Amino acid sequence: MVDIAALARLGGVRKYGTDEMFFHFGDPGHEMFIILKGHVGVYINSLDGSPLQVAALKDGDFFGEMSLLENMPRSATISALEDTVCLVIDESNFEQVIAQQPSLAFRIMKGMSNRLRQQNEELSFLKQGSKPEEDGAVAGAASTSAPVPLSSDIYPPGHKSYPLSATSAHDIYLFDSETLCPVCDKKFPVKMVRSSKLRLDKIDPDLRQHFHDFEPLWYAAWICPHCYYTNFNFEFKQVSDALIKKIIEQGQELKSKVKVDFSSPRRIDEVFTSYYMILQTLQAGKVEPTKSAKIWLRLSWLYSDVEDEEMFNYTSEKALEAYSESYFNTRRNTSVEQDQRLTILLGELCLRVNQKEEALKHFRNSIVRKGGNNNLNRQAEDRIHDLRIALSEENT
Ligand SMILES: [Zn+2]
């Protein structure tokens, strides 16, 4: 047993309020945390870009040790599910903590060795798993995505204005906070989502998550009102120094084209604008298909909510294009389950644009017997069953 009271006496105790962030996926960091009291949620970015809770940690659990010991960037996003008190360990007090609590060193080592074993197993499954023929030749090749074509403003042709606003039911899932813009270094107010309050109602076949009385997609983008830098909130701090100058230049130009204030309650037109602004930000650098895919997929969901079929089809095609490029041409560092989700999503997007044979291939590829997620396997099997019937009817 780890003696929590003794550890707390070593100092470095920090308090976090409900929904407060410890760190985001990809952040640099040199501290690990031991939970003295409370609960935290562990989130990874799901395919559509929204945070997906994969675990909850409680009193006595620890996290962040990879960053402390190996200077690795954070592998997940962590936020408090309730008021939480943590002991923060960094290089300055690490030895002291271990000297006082040798059992803790043993637990950290055990945790790391489990993680390594899991990674090795995932790697070997990935190697065994069948891959489409197209794969292999160009792993790691540079992205060939062309910049998003834009007319005089930031919206694609066919985009309209839609009379939809957020309901007051959204309010209890939100709270006001402030963030520091990593581009211009100025603070601005933001709406944060109380992830601890979200209740998942259902997940669509294309893996869209529906929450009770709330749509996180409406609040996923943050726009700095000073420099117009826009990004998903969970990736907001991830901007390279090389891009900062370009984003500032671009912002000057954007200021003459778009108005970026969010109303209260928020209007869906503003939400659309925020997503197209992220696409603008992307163009300051090399457009990563993985990132533009996330945006197009979310846009397609939003267009389905406003029942704009033409734009739903357009954005579905863009999402399929970007996810396919990401799937075939980009080196991925993902788990078996994440890979399954990606192939299922590709199958669903092919269905949307009526490419049944392609869809069938992706659903077949998504089935992983050993180490795969059984719900995903079943979902793919159902689709394969229906597709076989549909295809044989077409051929007769
Ligand atoms: Zn800014």
mmCIF file of all heavy atoms in Angstrom, residues 181 183-184 224 226-227, ligand 1:
data_model
loop_
_atom_site.group_PDB
_atom_site.id
_atom_site.type_symbol
_atom_site.label_atom_id
_atom_site.label_comp_id
_atom_site.label_asym_id
_atom_site.label_seq_id
_atom_site.Cartn_x
_atom_site.Cartn_y
_atom_site.Cartn_z
ATOM 1 N N CYS A 181 -4.041 32.529 -25.636
ATOM 2 C CA CYS A 181 -3.806 32.189 -27.041
ATOM 3 C C CYS A 181 -2.315 31.894 -27.248
ATOM 4 O O CYS A 181 -1.469 32.733 -26.937
ATOM 5 C CB CYS A 181 -4.256 33.338 -27.938
ATOM 6 S SG CYS A 181 -3.817 33.062 -29.655
ATOM 7 N N VAL A 183 -0.770 31.801 -29.948
ATOM 8 C CA VAL A 183 -0.256 32.531 -31.096
ATOM 9 C C VAL A 183 0.083 33.973 -30.728
ATOM 10 O O VAL A 183 1.188 34.446 -30.963
ATOM 11 C CB VAL A 183 -1.247 32.472 -32.280
ATOM 12 C CG1 VAL A 183 -0.818 33.393 -33.407
ATOM 13 C CG2 VAL A 183 -1.372 31.038 -32.789
ATOM 14 N N CYS A 184 -0.903 34.686 -30.119
ATOM 15 C CA CYS A 184 -0.657 36.104 -29.839
ATOM 16 C C CYS A 184 -0.410 36.378 -28.350
ATOM 17 O O CYS A 184 -0.185 37.522 -27.962
ATOM 18 C CB CYS A 184 -1.816 36.955 -30.352
ATOM 19 S SG CYS A 184 -3.348 36.723 -29.432
ATOM 20 N N CYS A 224 -9.575 32.741 -31.230
ATOM 21 C CA CYS A 224 -8.989 33.883 -30.522
ATOM 22 C C CYS A 224 -9.507 35.166 -31.184
ATOM 23 O O CYS A 224 -9.288 35.373 -32.376
ATOM 24 C CB CYS A 224 -7.466 33.832 -30.574
ATOM 25 S SG CYS A 224 -6.721 35.371 -29.967
ATOM 26 N N HIS A 226 -8.463 38.078 -30.854
ATOM 27 C CA HIS A 226 -7.390 39.047 -31.104
ATOM 28 C C HIS A 226 -6.669 38.764 -32.424
ATOM 29 O O HIS A 226 -6.445 39.659 -33.216
ATOM 30 C CB HIS A 226 -6.381 39.047 -29.955
ATOM 31 C CG HIS A 226 -7.026 39.196 -28.611
ATOM 32 N ND1 HIS A 226 -7.627 40.369 -28.205
ATOM 33 C CD2 HIS A 226 -7.204 38.309 -27.596
ATOM 34 C CE1 HIS A 226 -8.145 40.201 -26.990
ATOM 35 N NE2 HIS A 226 -7.897 38.962 -26.603
ATOM 36 N N CYS A 227 -6.307 37.488 -32.652
ATOM 37 C CA CYS A 227 -5.512 37.188 -33.850
ATOM 38 C C CYS A 227 -6.240 36.259 -34.823
ATOM 39 O O CYS A 227 -5.721 35.946 -35.880
ATOM 40 C CB CYS A 227 -4.171 36.570 -33.453
ATOM 41 S SG CYS A 227 -4.316 34.921 -32.758
HETATM 42 ZN ZN ZN B 1 -4.559 35.101 -30.526
#
